[in-house]
Amino acid sequence: MKIQVLIHEAEEGGYWAEVPALPGTYTEGDTWEELMANIQEALELRLSVEVTPPQDPKIKVLELAL
């Protein structure tokens, strides 16, 4: 899956980022490396979902990469 992340330079130094496809998903970092780690964490938290596979054998589960 590819997600567009908009990165901005913060006025007070460092960076902040937003994910337009996921409203309310923002993060920041004092360095580029910290920002990259924080973006990864924000996306993992925002997209993580607990899914229990269906118990009915007639139901098939298909995973698609977008």
Side-chain angles (χ1 to χ4, degrees):
M1 173 187 286
K2 293 183 180 183
I3 294 180
Q4 184 181 56
V5 178
L6 302 179
I7 298 173
H8 310 269
E9 289 190 32
E11 290 181 18
E12 62 279 358
Y15 305 91
W16 68 277
E18 60 182 314
V19 182
L22 301 169
T25 304
Y26 300 93
T27 192
E28 57 84 29
D30 292 329
T31 65
W32 185 262
E33 292 77 17
E34 182 181 11
L35 179 68
M36 292 300 109
N38 291 346
I39 289 170
Q40 183 72 31
E41 180 181 18
L43 288 172
E44 287 175 359
L45 290 171
R46 187 64 191 262
L47 296 174
S48 68
V49 184
E50 231 7 85
V51 177
T52 305
Q55 300 303 313
D56 186 341
K58 296 176 191 167
I59 298 175
K60 305 292 185 223
V61 177
L62 175 65
E63 292 183 9
L64 299 174
L66 303 175

